[in-house]
């Protein structure tokens, strides 16, 4: 039974607004007892489902089982902001320090760009109507410091280009826009339609998905659940923001919170004031940044960090988010779009994404134990899950492809600090972000020590 509530007059939780559009799925029956298979995938989000899809396509005889605690698409994959973007899931600087150097980072970036079309291609092939519009993303700067950062972070050779203030506003009339950056390799999606569509496709390929089946422990050759144990040659951990809930992984990836509000549909007059005719994705360049989409039915969905982290790596209940997060997102929405300031909010929700200690995503497999994993995408997972799924396929099948030679493959990260240091650290980091953002909003220069520190800590 999925929980929802009403907070500050706004429907809250129920997993996400996206499921009010498609309906919450009736979960399939749990694991009916002990089972044997070739590959056991733990977690039925996009990472797990893409991995299952590519394995089943490459090796149709393979016996694949997916174990999912709730229903496929219950996690971030069914709650996100719908940016199918080419953003690097990790820090360029950090990856470049690895053995693949800068050339490896460039290859990873190019693969992610190509992956946007790979996802769209699969959707087209199987009739997954995820309301996809591939019209790029606009990053807007609303202070001189944000503008400076935007220029510094622009990806060379990515096909993007700088926008003047007038060009930015011509696309999307964001109040106070001083300039922007346009990247063509990004598409808007309706997340629940994408992940549930993929779950349907994977089921049709002979993969068995057991929902309502929480894995309590895993080790070489086995995944244990309250309903029985799955024995498999390969056990792949695809839990992202939920990884810390698994025995032995409490300090692996930190479950970072992100929350979204969505408005009621805007009338023609308001859209005339805002523009946004091409449905580009929209992000700002604050330290505690926000991200937005114009939905297919004419709403604005806007997300941001809210309360970043819960003590002890706890996760939310069915996406229910805090009152102050809703209020803060409402304020951001009104600041960006005064024309939408009095449009009622239709829904609010939140979810968790996985953040490694060095903010770098990874995908890997230990051939000795058969244990594999993928995740830690730090909020840029929608496209990266597909690339990770194809990489896990090649690792499992032992194919020496270009994908298994990307810098994030078998990238190792040290554990997060134990509590209360973990909680204090994240709280401190976000206090710095907000301090730096407040200074920048007031037009103070980014030479603030806090601004530099916040930028550095964010791995940017
Ligand atoms: C609010 C929000 C907005 C975001 N916006 C964007 C965006 O616009 N663009 C972008 O690129 N990325 C975005 N992200 C990140 C992106 O959604 C994730 O990186 C991506 O969906 C991760 O997919 P996943 O399959 O690895 O994890 P998830 O989708 O979280 O899947 C993990 C699954 O594991 C299940 N599970 C948990 N514990 C267990 C267990 N013990 N046993 C079995 N199953 C278990 C969960 O129920 C869940 O279904 C956002 C994330 C959030 C939370």
């Amino acid at each position: 039974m999925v929980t929802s509530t009403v907070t500050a007059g706004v429907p809250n939780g129920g997993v996400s607004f996206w499921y009010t559009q498609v309906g919450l799925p009736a979960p399939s029956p749990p694991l009916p007892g002990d089972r044997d298979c070739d590959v056991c995938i733990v977690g039925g989000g996009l990472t797990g489902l893409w991995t299952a899809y590519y394995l089943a396509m490459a090796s149709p005889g393979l016996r694949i089982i997916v174990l999912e605690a709730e229903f496929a698409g219950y996690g971030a994959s069914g709650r996100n902001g719908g940016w199918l973007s080419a953003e690097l899931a990790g820090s360029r600087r950090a990856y470049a320090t690895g053995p693949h150097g800068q050339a490896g980072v460039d290859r990873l970036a190019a693969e992610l760009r190509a992956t946007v079309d790979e996802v769209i291609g699969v959707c087209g092939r199987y009739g997954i109507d995820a309301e996809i519009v591939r019209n790029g993303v606009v990053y807007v700067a609303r202070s001189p410091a944000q503008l400076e950062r935007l220029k510094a972070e622009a990806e060379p050779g990515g096909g993007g280009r700088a926008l003047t203030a007038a060009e930015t506003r011509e696309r999307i009339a964001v109040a106070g826009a001083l300039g922007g950056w346009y990247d063509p390799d990004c598409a808007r999606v309706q997340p629940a339609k994408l992940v549930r569509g993929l779950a349907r496709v994977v089921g049709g390929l002979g993969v068995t998905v057991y929902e309502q089946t929480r894995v309590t422990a895993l080790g070489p050759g086995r995944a244990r659940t309250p309903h029985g144990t799955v024995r498999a040659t390969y056990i792949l951990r695809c839990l992202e923001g939920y990884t810390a809930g698994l025995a032995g992984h409490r300090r692996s990836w930190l479950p970072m919170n992100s929350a979204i509000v969505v408005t009621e549909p805007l009338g023609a007059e308001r859209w005339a004031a805002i523009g946004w005719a091409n449905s580009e994705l929209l992000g700002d360049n604050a330290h505690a940044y926000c991200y937005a989409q114009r939905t297919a039915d004419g709403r604005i969905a806007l997300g941001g960090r809210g309360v970043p982290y819960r003590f002890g790596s706890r996760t939310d209940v069915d996406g229910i988010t805090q009152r102050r997060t809703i209020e803060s997102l409402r304020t951001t929405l009104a600041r960006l779009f005064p024309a939408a300031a009095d449009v009622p909010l239709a829904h609010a929700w939140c979810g968790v994404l996985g953040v490694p200690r060095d903010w770098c995503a990874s995908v890997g497999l230990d051939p000795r134990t058969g244990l594999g994993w993928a995740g830690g995408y730090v909020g840029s997972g929608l496209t990266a899950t597909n690339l990770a799924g194809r990489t896990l396929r090649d690792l499992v099948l032992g194919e020496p492809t270009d994908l298994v030679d990307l810098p994030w493959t078998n990238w190792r990260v040290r554990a997060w600090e134990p509590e209360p240091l973990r909680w204090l650290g994240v709280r401190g980091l976000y206090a710095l972000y907000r301090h730096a953002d407040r200074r920048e909003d007031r037009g103070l220069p980014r030479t603030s020590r806090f601004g530099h520190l916040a930028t550095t800590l964010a791995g940017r």
Side-chain angles (χ1 to χ4, degrees):
M1 180 67 184
V2 165
T3 337
S4 57
T5 182
V6 175
T7 308
V10 182
N12 185 3
V15 185
S16 74
F17 168 75
W18 310 123
Y19 280 107
T20 67
Q21 296 190 313
V22 299
L24 282 165
S28 62
L31 181 72
D34 295 348
R35 289 288 183 276
D36 290 335
C37 65
D38 299 306
V39 182
C40 173
I41 295 170
V42 181
L46 285 172
T47 301
L49 293 174
W50 281 125
T51 305
Y53 169 78
Y54 286 109
L55 277 170
M57 291 295 284
S59 183
L62 215 58
R63 294 167 307 156
I64 306 168
I65 287 178
V66 177
L67 300 175
E68 162 57 48
E70 306 287 344
F71 59 80
Y74 173 84
S77 299
R79 307 185 191 193
N80 60 70
W83 282 43
L84 184 66
S85 83
E87 272 185 2
L88 200 69
S91 151
R92 289 174 170 276
R93 261 184 302 159
Y95 287 134
T97 62
H100 295 78
Q102 186 54 44
V105 180
D106 294 344
R107 276 199 301 121
L108 179 57
E111 286 291 352
L112 281 164
R113 286 194 177 277
T115 301
V116 173
D117 288 326
E118 169 69 18
V119 173
I120 295 172
V122 176
C123 288
R125 231 167 289 143
Y126 292 94
I128 301 176
D129 178 9
E131 298 173 358
I132 297 174
V133 176
R134 194 198 194 290
N135 274 344
V137 53
V138 172
Y139 296 94
V140 65
R142 297 180 64 251
S143 70
Q146 285 190 19
L147 198 56
E148 200 184 310
R149 252 194 326 274
L150 208 70
K151 286 179 193 155
E153 286 165 15
E155 188 192 325
R161 62 186 180 84
L163 301 174
T164 63
E167 286 170 333
T168 308
R169 285 192 217 144
E170 210 170 286
R171 285 178 180 271
I172 310 173
V174 174
L178 299 180
W181 182 263
Y182 175 72
D183 187 328
D185 291 326
C186 189
R188 194 247 354 246
V189 304
Q190 204 280 22
K193 290 189 176 180
L194 174 63
V195 69
R196 291 304 300 178
L198 184 60
R200 171 178 56 78
V201 170
V202 162
L205 293 173
V207 172
T208 310
V209 182
Y210 292 112
E211 297 183 322
Q212 307 177 76
T213 305
R214 183 174 297 277
V215 171
T216 50
L218 53 79
R222 51 158 191 81
R224 198 168 296 144
T225 84
H227 309 280
T229 295
V230 174
R231 284 180 296 270
T233 313
Y234 298 100
I235 307 276
L236 308 179
R237 171 170 53 80
C238 302
L239 295 175
E240 249 274 286
Y242 298 93
T243 304
L246 203 61
H249 287 279
R250 188 153 286 275
R251 291 166 53 197
S252 300
W253 294 330
L254 184 135
M256 186 74 85
N257 194 51
S258 194
I260 303 183
V261 293
V262 65
T263 65
E264 293 292 356
L266 274 61
E269 230 171 80
R270 293 183 201 266
W271 279 123
I274 293 170
W276 214 343
N278 298 321
S279 300
E280 302 94 335
L281 285 305
L282 171 71
D284 76 354
N285 223 43
H287 294 98
Y289 58 86
C290 68
Y291 50 93
Q293 70 153 273
R294 174 179 177 162
T295 67
D297 63 349
R299 305 162 190 267
I300 298 176
L302 181 132
R305 193 60 77 216
V307 174
Y309 171 70
R310 295 177 174 83
F311 189 88
S313 293
R314 281 182 297 117
T315 54
D316 56 87
V317 176
D318 296 339
I320 293 176
T321 194
Q322 297 91 343
R323 175 184 291 262
R324 65 184 151 120
T325 300
I326 298 173
E327 294 304 352
S328 137
L329 290 174
R330 199 199 295 267
T331 304
T332 305
L333 179 75
R335 209 179 288 148
L336 264 54
F337 300 111
D342 59 346
V343 178
L345 297 181
H347 210 105
W349 71 98
C350 67
V352 285
L353 44 104
V355 178
R357 181 65 177 80
D358 66 354
W359 298 66
C360 283
S362 59
V363 44
L365 178 75
D366 181 344
R368 281 178 313 109
T369 61
L371 290 174
W373 79 93
Y377 311 112
V378 198
S380 297
L382 212 42
T383 307
T385 50
N386 178 286
L387 184 59
R390 284 184 284 139
T391 308
L392 275 176
R393 170 200 60 195
D394 293 349
L395 289 168
V396 166
L397 300 180
E399 303 282 356
T401 62
D402 288 348
L403 296 190
V404 304
D405 191 36
L406 290 172
W408 71 343
T409 310
N410 290 316
W411 181 267
R412 297 287 174 172
V413 189
R414 77 177 169 89
W416 280 92
E417 288 72 8
E419 297 290 24
L421 292 177
R422 196 157 72 239
W423 184 77
L424 287 169
V426 179
R427 251 181 90 92
L429 174 64
Y430 274 86
L432 283 175
Y433 280 174
R434 293 198 174 99
H435 177 86
D437 286 339
R438 274 196 301 274
R439 274 182 67 93
E440 291 180 3
D441 284 348
R442 294 206 312 272
L444 295 171
R446 87 174 279 268
T447 42
S448 147
R449 279 177 298 142
F450 294 121
H452 278 306
L453 186 56
T455 307
T456 309
L457 287 170
R460 284 169 154 179

